[in-house]
Amino acid sequence: AQTVTQSQPEMSVQEAETVTLSCTYDTSENNYYLFWYKQPPSRQMILVIRQEAYKQQNATENRFSVNFQKAAKSFSLKISDSQLGDTAMYFCAFMIQGAQKLVFGQGTRLTINP
Amino acid sequence: DTAVSQTPKYLVTQMGNDKSIKCEQNLGHDTMYWYKQDSKKFLKIMFSYNNKELIINETVPNRFSPKSPDKAHLNLHINSLELGDSAVYFCASRGGFLNTEAFFGQGTRLTVV
């Protein structure tokens, strides 16, 4: 069974700082996708960034980037120039290519302080 | 236009009651899901439907019965509600094989008293 682990239940940084959220996963599959979702207090689940396992290049979306280490099964999210609006729960998620199931980690509560 | 919409957003009910949560997506996606988020924020899949057919049932009690009248709708009916059913329930949808992103509804907070 696939599992996703986020080892940081909570993190807190000052506005404009850079923060990195950790995620590790366990799978014997070779083709899969990894995601980071953001859940602000509004409860809405918002996709932040996506990475295909077959791509060596790390995905980036504006201030958000990932460090994907396939051999280590690690998928961390870096948020640069953090903003107050980045305050949210962040979930790492995994899906095998062709499968129906998105498996989530436990989440990291990120607080950006003014 | 809301891509995935759930109703109601909040639901408070007594133990033993039967309730339904409705979900509709206007994205033309083939696959729809129900996820449960518990009090510790953990998200776990409950059901997955593809073109109205049940694909995944993750050992959910029989009191939970999903129904998909067409591929744009996936409703969740819960019988004999228990205190432990209190949670946030999310509906989500996803496109075909190469469309990996799941779009989520805004969630339904169910409170059983």
Side-chain angles (χ1 to χ4, degrees):
Chain A
Q2 285 73 35
T3 58
V4 179
T5 303
Q6 294 178 246
S7 59
Q8 305 150 313
E10 294 190 28
M11 295 189 74
S12 178
V13 298
Q14 295 300 119
E15 194 176 5
E17 289 183 348
T18 294
V19 59
T20 299
L21 308 183
S22 301
C23 173
T24 58
Y25 57 95
D26 186 25
T27 184
S28 57
E29 299 288 334
N30 197 44
N31 298 316
Y32 51 87
Y33 303 92
L34 293 158
F35 309 85
W36 279 97
Y37 277 86
K38 169 184 178 181
Q39 186 180 38
S42 67
R43 207 168 67 202
Q44 181 69 50
M45 293 288 289
I46 303 164
L47 179 68
V48 174
I49 201 163
R50 169 180 53 221
Q51 174 80 42
E52 292 86 348
Y54 63 84
K55 289 186 178 178
Q56 291 189 339
Q57 187 173 6
N58 289 323
T60 62
E61 287 287 342
N62 301 313
R63 296 182 296 108
F64 298 87
S65 61
V66 298
N67 183 2
F68 173 48
Q69 301 289 329
K70 191 171 184 179
K73 296 181 183 175
S74 169
F75 182 62
S76 60
L77 174 70
K78 185 170 86 169
I79 306 175
S80 304
D81 186 26
S82 57
Q83 301 174 358
L84 297 179
D86 296 333
T87 293
M89 285 288 293
Y90 286 81
F91 293 94
C92 180
F94 168 95
M95 186 175 70
I96 296 170
Q97 182 177 313
Q100 299 287 347
K101 192 163 70 170
L102 196 59
V103 178
F104 286 90
Q106 310 93 316
T108 296
R109 185 181 300 277
L110 176 64
T111 302
I112 309 299
N113 298 307
Chain B
D1 279 350
T2 304
V4 182
S5 61
Q6 296 177 228
T7 53
K9 288 185 181 179
Y10 299 93
L11 186 53
V12 181
T13 187
Q14 290 188 325
M15 281 176 57
N17 283 350
D18 303 339
K19 289 294 178 185
S20 292
I21 306 172
K22 295 186 176 182
C23 179
E24 176 182 6
Q25 55 96 1
N26 62 6
L27 298 166
H29 288 167
D30 293 330
T31 304
M32 294 186 74
Y33 304 87
W34 279 109
Y35 277 84
K36 179 180 180 180
Q37 186 173 42
D38 62 24
S39 58
K40 295 183 178 180
K41 300 293 187 182
F42 186 64
L43 277 153
K44 192 172 190 310
I45 190 169
M46 299 174 68
F47 301 104
S48 169
Y49 270 71
N50 186 270
N51 278 321
K52 303 193 297 178
E53 289 192 25
L54 179 66
I55 303 298
I56 294 174
N57 180 342
E58 286 280 310
T59 60
V60 178
N62 290 337
R63 299 182 295 102
F64 290 79
S65 53
K67 286 188 171 51
S68 183
D70 55 60
K71 76 172 193 176
H73 295 84
L74 180 61
N75 304 322
L76 184 65
H77 188 76
I78 316 170
N79 290 325
S80 303
L81 277 155
E82 300 176 358
L83 293 177
D85 297 332
S86 295
V88 179
Y89 293 85
F90 283 96
C91 177
S93 74
R94 189 170 65 86
F97 181 79
L98 295 178
N99 296 319
T100 57
E101 179 181 351
F103 291 81
F104 284 79
Q106 71 272 46
T108 296
R109 181 178 293 281
L110 171 65
T111 304
V112 183
V113 297

